[in-house]
Amino acid sequence: MSLRDLILTRFLMSNEVMDMEYTAVDPKHYRQGNVECIDVMLATQGKQAVQDFCVLNAFKYIYRHNLKNGVEDIRKAKWYLDKYVEIEDTYEQPRSD
């Protein structure tokens, strides 16, 4: 099953929004059911685009951390850099047969 199919299956099978506590790095508004926005981005935009997105978001949070949210922004930047590595280590680009 491709990543896209897995994401769509998880989304369609979900009848309720996950009851997750809000955290600065993983707020509920980035999910629809069991599907995270970044997973849909992977399925629709591809690995390289999402990795670029992660790097740019990390840069944004590091750049502003002293002027806005301090260590919370550093945690957000770390989340995006960790996500970049996770995608690199685990994501397989769907084949176009």
Side-chain angles (χ1 to χ4, degrees):
M1 177 180 286
S2 72
L3 177 63
R4 179 180 180 279
D5 292 340
L6 177 62
I7 290 168
L8 292 174
T9 300
R10 284 175 52 195
F11 180 76
L12 294 172
M13 291 177 63
S14 172
N15 293 329
E16 60 189 57
V17 174
M18 293 175 64
D19 185 23
M20 297 179 59
E21 285 187 33
Y22 172 85
T23 66
V25 178
D26 187 23
K28 288 191 269 187
H29 60 267
Y30 286 117
R31 292 183 178 269
Q32 290 188 25
N34 293 329
V35 180
E36 284 191 61
C37 179
I38 202 159
D39 293 331
V40 175
M41 290 169 59
L42 269 169
T44 60
Q45 306 304 309
K47 176 182 175 179
Q48 189 60 57
V50 176
Q51 284 183 306
D52 292 344
F53 172 82
C54 289
V55 169
L56 292 171
N57 269 318
F59 175 82
K60 171 186 73 176
Y61 286 119
I62 291 167
Y63 186 80
R64 76 175 199 189
H65 81 281
N66 281 327
L67 301 173
K68 193 165 182 190
N69 296 319
V71 73
E72 181 179 315
D73 280 347
I74 298 299
R75 285 188 183 105
K76 289 177 182 180
K78 181 182 180 305
W79 187 92
Y80 279 106
L81 294 174
D82 289 343
K83 188 58 136 177
Y84 178 101
V85 172
E86 175 189 324
I87 291 167
E88 183 64 31
D89 291 346
T90 62
Y91 183 75
E92 293 183 28
Q93 194 78 22
R95 294 187 338 201
S96 56
D97 294 337

